Amino acid sequence: LGYNPPDFAGLNHYNLRLWQRSSPGEPWAMLGEQYAYQYGQITVETDLLGEFVLIGQSGNMLYLPRLNR
């Protein structure tokens, strides 16, 4: 899987993970297989079909306002 590193600025590319779901109504599940990393590329072996998304985790916290009704 190739990606554009500037699109993930501020993220450690070793923290990028590939998530998969079978169809639009299904929940996302992280692929737990072995990852191989190179600059701009992640390699993971899977036999699954469906939708895939690459998600990274930053060290920044996001605080959202609390809404009460």
Side-chain angles (χ1 to χ4, degrees):
L1 175 68
Y3 66 93
N4 187 12
D7 291 341
F8 292 88
L11 298 177
N12 181 339
H13 74 263
Y14 292 108
N15 290 334
L16 295 174
R17 295 291 184 264
L18 193 61
W19 290 66
Q20 183 271 344
R21 68 180 179 181
S22 301
S23 63
E26 297 292 319
W28 289 99
M30 185 175 68
L31 295 180
E33 288 84 5
Q34 187 76 14
Y35 288 79
Y37 296 94
Q38 292 180 344
Y39 185 77
Q41 181 176 332
I42 294 176
T43 304
V44 61
E45 198 171 312
T46 184
D47 59 357
L48 299 173
L49 297 174
E51 298 178 309
F52 294 86
V53 64
L54 188 60
I55 298 176
Q57 180 179 358
S58 74
N60 299 327
M61 297 292 292
L62 175 64
Y63 295 95
L64 300 174
R66 180 176 162 175
L67 301 175
N68 293 323
R69 284 190 159 195

